[in-house]
Amino acid sequence: MISLDFILKFIVAAVAAGTPLLFGTVGEILSEKVGHLNLGVEGMMSIGALTGFMAGYGSHNLAVSMIAAFAGGMVSALIYAVLTIGFMANQNVIGLTLTIFGVGFANFVGVYMVGKTSSNTWQLSADLISQMKSIHIPLLSDIPVIGKLIFSYDPFTYTGIIIALICGWYLFKTKAGLNTQAIGENPAAADAASIQVTKWKFINIVLGGGICGIGGAYCSMIINGGVWISDCVGGLGWISVALVIFAAWRPQTAILGSFIFGALRVLKYYMPSVIPIAFFNMLPFIITAAVLLIASIRGTKGSHIPENLGFNYFREDR
Amino acid sequence: MGGEVKNAIRCEKISKVFGNVIANEKIDLELNYGEILALLGENGSGKTTLMNMISGIYHPDEGTIYVNGEPVSIQSPLDAQKLGIGMIHQHFKLVNIFSAMENIELGTPGKKLPPKELRARVTALCEKYGLETDPLKPVHDMSVSEKQTVEILKILYRGANILILDEPTAVLTPQETEKLFEILRHMRAAGCAIIIITHKLNEVLSISDRVTILRKGRSFGTVKTAEVDVSKLTELMVGRAVNLEIERPATDRSEEVLKVVDLCVERSDGSTALEDVSFHVNRGEILGVAGIAGSGQKELCESIAGLITPKKGAILYKKENMAGKTPREIIELGISMSFVPEDRLGMGLVAGMGMTDNMLLKTYTRGKGAFVDRAPAKKMAETLVDKFGIVTAGIEMPVRMMSGGNVQKVLLGREIESSPDLLITAYPVRGLDINSSYLVYDLLNEQKKKGVAVLYIGEDLDVLLQLCDRIAVLCHGRLTGVVDADKVTKEQIGLMMTGENWEEVREYGG
């Protein structure tokens, strides 16, 4: 009844649909590991979506797009970092504001650009779209099952997995990662151990924002087939924030988590049509709410939540 | 060192001003290798400010600090570390989820060491200085004294040979304190220079070689420990002779006010906070509660005050069961009970409000209708200021701007003003200097003479032994005994704090 081919298709689609979530989650983990809850993921992804799309439109080059998306995300995270680290502003308020700003700004520029084109669609060149296609490695991609399962995704997916693995290695295997974690757990202890708290907070938050930005570019460039559409991130940033909890603040676990949520997103295409589509559209968000609920019931006990998450650090505070 | 005295730190005319407050004024201080220097002074005398300048957290406005004879400028904790200076703060600065050795490695330059090598280094360091630690144990599973050991190791691992300890014994049992002093003596013998800040005068006498006294931000001379005694030190510190005796007046104790029977309390995470605790307090009596921090003192206070619901057992106040009642219900029963929580600014007072509003917290329901009558509260605040000599810029000034001693006076004063029959106080002298502490003891004794039953949660065993009539000792939520204060020694209480029952201890050393 259900063929192997059908299952393979579903998995491949799930991984692709989970890719933007992977970027968002890993980026947010970096930020939360230094104790900063950044609710601006949706906004940072939107800005990354815009800058990536723009660069792609101008350069017809995927690598340039990705770098531009990374830079866009970094700049938007820098706004957040300056306000919360430098000016000690409330993290939640700034994060939410960043989301509202980022989404609005991307839509604003997008609408303007659409108006500038003759066909009233802002579209990427066929050359760039071909670069974004799923890779095909001769021989490897042709291996039955394995080839399809491992060697048939687009460049974004591989970039995301590599970034997640590097971040995992950085956080748990290097001295800098140890210092980073100490800041999120107990910034006063880190400070006393002569770790430069402010510097490392900036580095992690800004890098995290950059990674989110690439996830945004995936939304604008791949999901909609190279055509700019307003609100292209469409809530994936919010799911990413919840996925951080699901992944227990581990980038490696985020790989698995984002693909599971990716599966939820594409489930609607693989299910009998008896159940209304709206239900499946809602599903990832319901599960997100459930994850948050379960996490809060379990409390801090046994979870890996950074102890100082959400609180700014001021050395002379008592 | 071989007899030759080598200068570790010399401070020359150090001054530091915060706004219009002079924290340090022309302070001189000298510390040699191979010695332990005690820094003594009341609250606000500038001890911590001075130490923060040596460890790079503040920068002096005037004066010079010499390290190893060279004038230096210490701009950050990192600079201090490079000069071999390490500070152990009053509140431990450790990452709970990390193991001992991860905390030790934290912030050191270079690459992350393989766990095996790191472990070997930590173990070697322990052997050199006679310390004991389990390098792999996570900090959240450690006792206070284990955490302190990790703090010391952290500093030694960075190659420090000048150590500053800010009130290291405040949270230790007598046995743990003795162990710490043994370690410090060991380090002194190894050539380290050590500064220790403490309020406990007999500790100063037992550990230090010399004592430098600070008073109101100025250095008041240095004396050889061997040439002074407790009363001489107090006199130097306060500026006049102080009677260090805490009186214990005899009172009528016929009536039982509070009786706790088989009290069991669970923490929110499901662990046991109190297990079958039973005791009673009579009128005109101060019952002390001793125990290592976190042995269930907090839960005991909070369940009597009605803040948490016990799992089992009864709390009888004048024969009426209060277990499971809310604070409001307890007040409505006509029970007057005053609760002075250990976290003064967290639970006792609202930090951002002035004295008047804080008075209102306890009495606002007495007003009629929806409006609040502030006049009586204001009057009460003014009375307290006069009665207890509270130093404040104004009764409407937020209480967080006041010094620790004054905050405590406000809190205790408010509770006493409601003329309670039962007064619960947790660590009322924590962070207070000697003058303020004795004022608190006097206040408690005054209440006792009025016939109030007082439950006193304390940490300084010397004080508990002098002030209280009986002492209950808690260990991991179990009561290891309730003993008459004049029939027990400090050592015996120390043993009971670590889990031995009174029956065993009585045999051991009477």
Side-chain angles (χ1 to χ4, degrees):
Chain A
M1 203 176 78
I2 296 173
S3 66
L4 180 67
D5 194 44
F6 183 79
I7 294 172
L8 276 180
K9 255 191 192 152
F10 177 62
I11 292 174
V12 170
V15 168
T19 299
L21 296 173
L22 177 57
F23 285 104
T25 309
V26 172
E28 179 68 5
I29 287 175
L30 283 192
S31 180
E32 292 195 11
K33 273 287 180 189
V34 286
H36 279 243
L37 180 68
N38 189 348
L39 295 179
V41 179
E42 182 84 6
M44 297 189 295
M45 286 176 76
S46 295
I47 289 181
L50 176 72
T51 54
F53 195 92
M54 268 187 134
Y57 184 70
S59 72
H60 313 292
N61 183 309
L62 182 58
V64 172
S65 303
M66 278 197 189
I67 291 166
F70 189 73
M74 289 214 297
V75 170
S76 49
L78 186 64
I79 301 172
Y80 170 89
V82 167
L83 290 172
T84 56
I85 304 171
F87 294 99
M88 301 280 159
N90 181 294
Q91 296 180 11
N92 295 343
V93 173
I94 300 299
L96 286 171
T97 312
L98 181 58
T99 286
I100 297 166
F101 166 74
V103 174
F105 182 74
N107 287 349
F108 172 75
V109 177
V111 166
Y112 174 79
M113 289 303 291
V114 169
K116 290 282 250 184
T117 57
S118 52
S119 58
N120 268 343
T121 44
W122 191 22
Q123 208 167 354
L124 297 175
S125 66
D127 176 25
L128 178 55
I129 288 174
S130 73
Q131 292 174 41
M132 302 189 305
K133 267 204 191 128
S134 303
I135 55 156
H136 186 92
I137 305 164
L139 290 175
L140 284 179
S141 299
D142 298 329
I143 306 170
V145 184
I146 306 280
K148 189 101 177 98
L149 214 51
I150 298 178
F151 302 105
S152 70
Y153 303 105
D154 58 68
F156 277 96
T157 304
Y158 295 108
T159 311
I161 292 172
I162 290 167
I163 287 178
L165 292 176
I166 290 175
C167 287
W169 170 81
Y170 156 71
L171 283 174
F172 299 107
K173 297 280 177 232
T174 68
K175 192 70 143 296
L178 189 75
N179 295 353
T180 295
Q181 287 193 69
I183 293 168
E185 294 290 334
N186 185 348
D191 198 13
S194 62
I195 294 166
Q196 287 164 292
V197 174
T198 305
K199 179 180 126 188
W200 286 103
K201 276 191 170 187
F202 265 101
I203 291 176
N204 280 282
I205 292 173
V206 169
L207 280 181
I211 295 170
C212 292
I214 305 180
Y218 183 92
C219 298
S220 63
M221 296 167 72
I222 295 214
I223 294 182
N224 302 321
V227 179
W228 176 265
I229 290 172
S230 285
D231 290 325
C232 56
V233 178
L236 294 183
W238 289 112
I239 297 179
S240 299
V241 174
L243 256 173
V244 172
I245 300 167
F246 185 86
W249 287 268
R250 291 181 162 272
Q252 302 95 313
T253 320
I255 301 177
L256 181 72
S258 57
F259 295 154
I260 291 175
F261 272 71
L264 290 173
R265 287 186 59 219
V266 295
L267 201 58
K268 58 185 166 191
Y269 307 115
Y270 296 84
M271 278 290 159
S273 55
V274 201
I275 308 163
I277 284 282
F279 173 78
F280 291 104
N281 287 339
M282 175 185 75
L283 201 57
F285 296 95
I286 291 275
I287 305 279
T288 301
V291 166
L292 292 175
L293 195 68
I294 292 164
S296 69
I297 289 170
R298 267 180 33 200
T300 47
K301 195 190 165 197
S303 85
H304 303 76
I305 181 164
E307 211 173 285
N308 204 57
L309 182 62
F311 302 102
N312 292 333
Y313 172 63
F314 180 52
R315 186 186 275 174
E316 277 148 58
D317 235 8
R318 351 190 267 158
Chain B
M1 293 287 115
E4 164 207 10
V5 176
K6 217 177 136 220
N7 215 220
I9 291 182
R10 190 155 59 85
C11 296
E12 221 176 66
K13 296 199 167 41
I14 296 283
S15 297
K16 177 77 188 172
V17 179
F18 293 109
N20 48 16
V21 180
I22 301 168
N24 280 180
E25 196 182 354
K26 298 204 169 106
I27 290 192
D28 295 319
L29 179 120
E30 212 178 294
L31 173 70
N32 297 321
Y33 285 110
E35 82 163 349
I36 298 176
L37 176 76
L39 197 58
L40 197 62
E42 291 192 271
N43 288 111
S45 60
K47 298 176 305 250
T48 307
T49 306
L50 181 63
M51 290 306 108
N52 279 339
M53 281 190 280
I54 295 176
S55 58
I57 292 174
Y58 303 144
H59 194 67
D61 296 334
E62 272 172 48
T64 323
I65 299 173
Y66 297 85
V67 175
N68 302 327
E70 304 277 326
V72 290
S73 163
I74 308 169
Q75 299 284 0
S76 70
L78 191 63
D79 286 350
Q81 188 185 311
K82 282 177 189 154
L83 290 164
I85 301 168
M87 180 155 172
I88 294 169
H89 297 265
Q90 207 174 344
H91 306 286
F92 299 140
K93 306 216 169 187
L94 297 171
V95 179
N96 282 328
I97 58 156
F98 285 3
S99 68
M101 62 182 205
E102 278 174 323
N103 266 293
I104 291 165
E105 191 187 23
L106 195 65
T108 55
K111 272 193 178 171
K112 194 170 173 177
L113 290 174
K116 238 184 188 167
E117 194 184 332
L118 180 61
R119 201 176 160 180
R121 283 194 192 187
V122 171
T123 314
L125 209 56
C126 283
E127 277 166 18
K128 186 176 167 194
Y129 292 100
L131 294 149
E132 271 171 45
T133 193
D134 175 359
L136 297 177
K137 194 171 179 180
V139 168
H140 58 71
D141 289 342
M142 287 185 179
S143 72
V144 179
S145 94
E146 284 176 296
K147 286 182 190 172
Q148 195 166 51
T149 308
V150 176
E151 282 281 10
I152 295 173
L153 276 168
K154 238 170 92 178
I155 285 170
L156 293 175
Y157 185 83
R158 287 163 168 72
N161 46 12
I162 303 170
L163 271 86
I164 302 166
L165 298 104
D166 193 359
E167 295 201 40
T169 60
V171 286
L172 301 182
T173 65
Q175 283 83 1
E176 286 170 335
T177 302
E178 198 34 59
K179 214 166 133 192
L180 172 72
F181 284 180
E182 212 40 62
I183 292 165
L184 294 184
R185 289 188 190 110
H186 211 100
M187 285 169 25
R188 170 174 65 187
C192 292
I194 298 167
I195 297 181
I196 179 168
I197 299 178
T198 172
H199 282 302
K200 299 178 188 170
L201 299 175
N202 37 17
E203 289 179 2
V204 171
L205 293 175
S206 89
I207 185 75
S208 70
D209 300 303
R210 291 186 305 138
V211 190
T212 293
I213 291 127
L214 297 189
R215 198 196 295 171
K216 293 189 176 128
R218 296 171 186 228
S219 46
F220 227 78
T222 301
V223 290
K224 285 214 167 97
T225 310
E227 293 165 6
V228 288
D229 58 12
V230 170
S231 59
K232 177 75 183 155
L233 280 179
T234 322
E235 208 182 316
L236 281 169
M237 187 164 83
V238 184
R240 60 186 161 78
V242 173
N243 182 10
L244 287 174
E245 295 287 305
I246 303 173
E247 65 166 337
R248 184 159 51 196
T251 49
D252 166 26
R253 292 176 203 161
S254 52
E255 191 194 345
E256 194 175 88
V257 175
L258 178 77
K259 189 176 172 73
V260 173
V261 187
D262 292 337
L263 185 68
C264 294
V265 174
E266 257 182 16
R267 292 194 184 89
S268 56
D269 63 2
S271 62
T272 307
L274 291 172
E275 202 182 336
D276 294 327
V277 169
S278 303
F279 63 87
H280 65 93
V281 194
N282 290 348
R283 71 187 299 269
E285 175 183 58
I286 300 181
L287 177 74
V289 177
I292 301 166
S295 297
Q297 295 98 322
K298 188 167 172 245
E299 288 78 6
L300 179 65
C301 291
E302 291 184 353
S303 45
I304 298 174
L307 295 173
I308 48 178
T309 309
K311 197 178 134 207
K312 206 183 105 204
I315 299 167
L316 303 168
Y317 175 82
K318 296 187 176 168
K319 311 242 156 34
E320 194 155 1
N321 194 358
M322 309 191 292
K325 286 197 165 56
T326 66
R328 181 63 60 207
E329 283 167 349
I330 290 173
I331 293 170
E332 276 166 6
L333 272 173
I335 295 169
S336 49
M337 190 165 62
S338 291
F339 173 50
V340 182
E342 58 184 302
D343 184 1
R344 291 192 280 267
L345 281 179
M347 271 178 78
L349 299 169
V350 179
M353 300 200 315
M355 271 182 76
T356 309
D357 289 353
N358 271 300
M359 298 299 132
L360 272 173
L361 287 180
K362 199 88 179 182
T363 56
Y364 71 96
T365 47
R366 282 183 210 157
K368 281 192 185 116
F371 298 100
V372 163
D373 184 6
R374 291 169 57 91
K378 200 168 168 183
K379 214 175 141 204
M380 184 170 154
E382 281 161 358
T383 319
L384 289 188
V385 170
D386 288 346
K387 205 163 155 189
F388 300 119
I390 295 169
V391 182
T392 168
I395 54 171
E396 301 301 340
M397 189 179 77
V399 288
R400 77 181 137 82
M401 318 273 279
M402 300 164 100
S403 76
N406 286 309
V407 168
Q408 188 62 33
K409 286 181 200 167
V410 172
L411 183 55
L412 209 55
R414 183 185 76 190
E415 300 301 323
I416 288 173
E417 280 302 292
S418 66
S419 23
D421 284 334
L422 173 63
L423 183 65
I424 306 170
T425 69
Y427 311 113
V429 298
R430 181 177 279 180
L432 299 196
D433 59 41
I434 210 155
N435 261 330
S436 312
S437 300
Y438 276 77
L439 188 93
V440 169
Y441 304 145
D442 288 345
L443 281 174
L444 292 177
N445 268 329
E446 211 175 280
Q447 294 303 303
K448 174 182 160 182
K449 279 190 236 166
K450 277 192 195 160
V452 177
V454 181
L455 188 65
Y456 177 93
I457 318 284
E459 44 197 353
D460 188 333
L461 294 185
D462 292 310
V463 170
L464 278 168
L465 285 168
Q466 288 183 62
L467 177 71
C468 303
D469 300 293
R470 290 182 302 135
I471 297 173
V473 186
L474 278 174
C475 174
H476 294 307
R478 278 190 321 110
L479 210 55
T480 47
V482 183
V483 290
D484 281 336
D486 46 14
K487 287 184 189 135
V488 67
T489 65
K490 201 167 132 187
E491 286 67 32
Q492 285 171 327
I493 292 190
L495 286 170
M496 287 163 76
M497 280 162 75
T498 51
E500 288 181 50
N501 285 327
W502 170 233
E503 286 72 29
E504 300 162 4
V505 172
R506 188 165 40 185
E507 303 294 317
Y508 178 77

